[in-house]
């Protein structure tokens, strides 16, 4: 289990000096120094990690205040943890002992919806669902759709390059970003792009900061790409007697060139957990369920689902049902979004995030099942099968003294299996604090050295989220 170091990286006197100056020069910044307040910023949603207690928590409300805080942090050599809504699943926003956590949730204004250029300019603390709702009211669509969309922030989505339920068709967060405003470790404010759909001036810094998990700078504004609102969703559910068959159906849909907006998988354990909680009438005897959604316009939606159904039938899918209307479709999607919460009702969940080239989903499913069974560990798998991205969830009793080591071993074997299939140890949640030792294994020492050189150039004192990612 990846424990955080408990020795403070920041000298308490340096933090005290920063706070003293901040109180005078940055009066608008809300500061929490009380231990009870700081405690609520210790963890993100990575329930199995141990994390440090921040020495102080700062909530700025403007770019100037973020820049002021980073200038002070760099002068006093205080370690900084950027934080959005704290829903991350890799420990990226979890506390570092004695450090300053900078929380961006007060920067929660949508600055402009630019209909003429199909983009929106927003601060980082806006919740994903709020942004989606605001642009939908204008007949527009912001695509990135993590299952946590009602609670996670745009800044966190950018910093993790979040995925979600509609990447098959619309890509990850990075595919919807046109430009960023970023505050660097020394307080310098830079802009990396803007409203131009095409812009190749210099290195693509935008894409460097997207997914950098708060290790290279703090995102204080983003220009995000919008699309015209798509058609209402049509939904198909297909149940299978084996995980293999469900995996085969996914591979067949990909090979047939289908691009549904959503292609999600839930295994039996997950279906049972969701059904126990929400009583949707899902088939709990099946080994796996696929959810396929189309947002194609008019008759094209039915045609897309017909093709998906044919692939499911060919892979021995049974009890194939379609949502009666948009309301039922919303219910089903919501059930999928709640899969993690449903599993958390049954124990502590160690959620992993492996990915493989899409045609290899059946092999990955087999490997996960085999590894968990070999170690006698309870594992529920769901995920974005259409992206080749699965979440094996290892469920254990938090008080079991052997669980930490055992689930860690199972995780390592699943990672090795994913890499052997040409995959990744994290498709959307990030390396963060939880998966660091696997970065050189996957990318190689040369690539990690290049990343380190970028980190050293942008943050020479190493104050931004140290010991995360690299
Ligand atoms: C129930 C549930 C479902 C989820 N489903 C999905 C899913 O479908 N797809 C998916 O990708 N993720 C999913 N997640 C994980 C999580 O919601 C995403 O990673 C999300 O993008 C994190 O956003 P946040 O605002 O909570 O960021 P935080 O957890 O606060 O931070 C995440 C990382 O971003 C950095 N950061 C935050 N804000 C900034 C900023 N302004 N500038 C620089 N760095 C910053 C932090 O340092 C940290 O490293 C899920 C989580 C839960 C609990």
């Amino acid at each position: 289990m990846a424990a955080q170091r408990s020795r403070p990286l920041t000298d308490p006197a340096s933090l005290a000096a920063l706070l003293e100056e901040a109180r005078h020069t940055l009066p608008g910044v809300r500061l929490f120094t009380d231990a009870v307040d700081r405690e609520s910023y210790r963890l993100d949603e990575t329930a199995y990690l141990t994390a440090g207690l921040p020495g102080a928590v700062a909530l700025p409300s403007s770019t100037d205040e973020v820049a002021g805080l980073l200038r002070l942090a760099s002068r006093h050599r205080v370690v900084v943890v950027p934080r959005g809504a704290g829903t991350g699943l890799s420990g990226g926003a979890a506390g570092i002992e004695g450090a300053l956590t900078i929380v961006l949730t007060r920067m929660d204004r949508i600055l402009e919806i630019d209909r003429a250029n199909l983009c929106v300019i927003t601060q980082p603390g806006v919740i994903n669902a709020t942004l989606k709702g605001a642009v939908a009211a204008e007949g527009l669509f912001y695509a990135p759709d993590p299952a946590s969309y009602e609670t996670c922030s745009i800044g966190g989505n950018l910093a993790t390059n979040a995925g979600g339920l509609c990447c098959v068709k619309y890509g990850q967060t990075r595919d919807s970003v046109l430009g960023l405003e970023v505050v660097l470790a020394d307080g310098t404010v830079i802009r990396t792009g803007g409203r131009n759909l095409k812009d190749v001036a210099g290195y693509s810094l935008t894409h460097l900061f997207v997914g950098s998990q708060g290790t290279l700078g703090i995102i204080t504004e983003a220009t995000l790409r919008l699309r015209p609102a798509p058609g209402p969703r049509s939904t198909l559910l297909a149940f299978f007697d084996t995980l293999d068959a469900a995996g085969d159906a996914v591979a067949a849909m990909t090979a047939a060139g289908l691009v549904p907006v959503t292609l999600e998988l839930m295994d039996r354990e997950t279906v049972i957990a969701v059904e126990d909680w929400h009583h949707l009438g899902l088939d709990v005897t099946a080994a796996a369920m696929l959810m396929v959604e189309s947002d194609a316009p008019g008759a094209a939606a039915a045609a897309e689902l017909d093709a998906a159904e044919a692939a499911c039938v060919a892979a021995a899918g049974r009890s194939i049902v379609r949502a009666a209307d948009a309301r039922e479709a919303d219910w089903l999607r919501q059930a999928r979004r709640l899969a993690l919460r449903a599993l958390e009702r049954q124990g502590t969940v160690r959620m992993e995030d492996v990915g493989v080239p899409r045609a290899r989903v059946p092999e990955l499913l087999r490997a996960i099942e085999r590894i968990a069974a070999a170690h006698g560990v309870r594992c529920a798998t769901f995920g974005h099968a259409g992206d080749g991205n699965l979440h094996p969830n290892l469920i254990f009793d938090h008080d079991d003294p052997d669980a930490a080591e055992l689930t860690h071993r199972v995780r390592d074997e699943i990672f090795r299996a994913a890499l052997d299939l040409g995959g990744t140890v994290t498709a959307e949640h990030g390396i963060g604090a939880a998966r660091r030792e696997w970065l050189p294994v996957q990318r190689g020492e040369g690539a990690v050295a290049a990343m380190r050189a970028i980190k050293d150039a942008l943050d020479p004192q190493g104050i931004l989220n140290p010991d995360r990612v690299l």
Side-chain angles (χ1 to χ4, degrees):
M1 184 152 297
Q4 292 280 312
R5 63 174 87 188
S6 56
R7 180 174 57 80
L9 295 172
T10 295
D11 166 18
S14 303
L15 180 67
L18 177 153
L19 293 173
E20 179 62 18
E21 254 190 87
R23 281 191 190 98
H24 289 103
T25 58
L26 301 166
V29 175
R30 196 172 294 161
L31 291 172
F32 294 148
T33 52
D34 187 88
V36 175
D37 292 331
R38 288 185 281 133
E39 191 60 50
S40 42
Y41 296 92
R42 184 193 284 272
L43 291 172
D44 61 4
E45 286 271 0
T46 320
Y48 60 88
L49 275 187
T50 314
L53 181 64
V57 177
L59 290 93
S61 61
S62 70
T63 301
D64 282 351
E65 288 179 350
V66 174
L69 285 168
L70 285 186
R71 267 195 302 277
L72 290 179
S74 114
R75 182 139 51 78
H76 293 286
R77 287 178 169 262
V78 167
V79 163
V80 166
V81 177
R83 182 176 174 111
T87 68
L89 291 168
S90 66
I96 292 180
E97 193 69 29
L100 176 69
T101 291
I102 298 184
V103 185
L104 282 305
T105 48
R106 284 179 73 212
M107 296 185 67
D108 61 353
R109 280 184 306 127
I110 297 171
L111 301 173
E112 184 186 345
I113 297 173
D114 179 352
R115 174 171 267 291
N117 289 303
L118 283 182
C119 64
V120 56
I121 299 163
T122 182
Q123 292 188 318
V126 174
I127 297 299
N128 178 299
T130 307
L131 188 84
K132 272 184 188 303
V135 304
E138 306 273 330
L140 298 168
F141 177 56
Y142 175 64
D145 190 32
S148 53
Y149 82 125
E150 285 169 313
T151 48
C152 61
S153 74
I154 293 295
N157 294 171
L158 291 160
T160 56
N161 188 14
L165 273 70
C166 61
C167 298
V168 191
K169 185 164 180 177
Y170 297 112
Q172 275 176 284
T173 298
R174 73 164 164 253
D175 299 301
S176 290
V177 188
L178 295 172
L180 300 174
E181 177 187 80
V182 179
V183 183
L184 301 181
D186 65 358
T188 306
V189 181
I190 63 165
R191 284 190 170 269
T192 68
R195 295 175 208 227
N196 295 312
L197 196 58
K198 297 173 74 180
D199 180 351
V200 295
Y203 299 141
S204 177
L205 293 181
T206 303
H207 293 99
L208 179 62
F209 288 106
V210 172
S212 65
Q213 295 202 269
T215 61
L216 300 180
I218 297 188
I219 299 164
T220 46
E221 191 184 293
T223 305
L224 305 173
R225 183 177 173 188
L226 301 177
R227 296 174 163 83
R233 302 264 174 112
S234 307
T235 305
L236 174 148
L237 298 186
F239 295 86
F240 298 84
D241 285 327
T242 64
L243 266 176
D244 258 8
D248 289 345
V250 171
M253 283 185 239
T254 307
L258 291 188
V259 190
V261 63
T262 300
L263 177 42
E264 295 285 312
L265 176 141
M266 298 204 282
D267 74 352
R268 178 186 281 126
E269 284 261 14
T270 313
V271 171
I272 291 174
V274 169
E275 186 57 29
D276 271 358
W277 195 14
H278 286 285
H279 314 295
L280 296 164
L282 303 177
D283 181 350
V284 293
T285 65
M289 181 193 99
L290 290 182
M291 173 186 288
V292 190
E293 287 185 315
S294 174
D295 66 355
E304 195 166 40
L305 290 192
D306 286 347
E309 180 164 344
C312 292
V313 170
R318 56 151 166 102
S319 47
I320 295 169
V321 289
R322 297 198 189 192
D325 51 32
R327 207 163 140 259
E328 196 172 290
D330 284 347
W331 258 101
L332 294 172
R333 193 175 326 112
Q334 194 60 8
R336 160 59 191 88
R337 289 187 203 281
L338 291 170
L340 174 59
R341 298 298 183 220
L343 293 170
E344 282 173 345
R345 295 169 81 231
Q346 315 202 349
T348 300
V349 176
R350 181 175 186 136
M351 186 191 205
E352 288 305 337
D353 175 41
V354 282
V356 288
R358 291 177 286 177
R360 307 202 80 169
V361 165
E363 292 165 86
L364 180 62
L365 281 166
R366 275 198 293 276
I368 293 168
E369 208 176 20
R370 175 178 44 74
I371 293 164
H375 289 278
V377 167
R378 215 175 135 202
C379 178
T381 299
F382 64 83
H384 320 295
D387 311 335
N389 177 197
L390 295 176
H391 299 309
N393 294 276
L394 310 178
I395 304 169
F396 61 98
D397 177 353
H398 203 275
D399 298 328
D400 175 352
D402 301 326
E405 205 193 311
L406 182 60
T407 54
H408 201 66
R409 216 175 318 136
V410 171
R411 176 203 85 154
D412 282 351
E413 287 186 27
I414 291 174
F415 280 7
R416 172 47 60 202
L419 293 185
D420 288 347
L421 292 168
T424 175
V425 299
T426 176
E428 58 176 20
H429 295 163
I431 290 285
R435 307 179 175 94
R436 279 190 318 146
E437 68 272 33
W438 280 87
L439 185 66
V441 182
Q442 179 175 335
R443 292 281 184 233
E445 297 292 347
V448 174
M451 293 184 205
R452 170 67 61 195
I454 292 168
K455 167 77 175 165
D456 290 345
L458 292 178
D459 178 17
Q461 297 189 96
I463 60 166
L464 277 176
N465 231 358
D467 294 345
R468 268 86 202 253
V469 184
L470 296 173

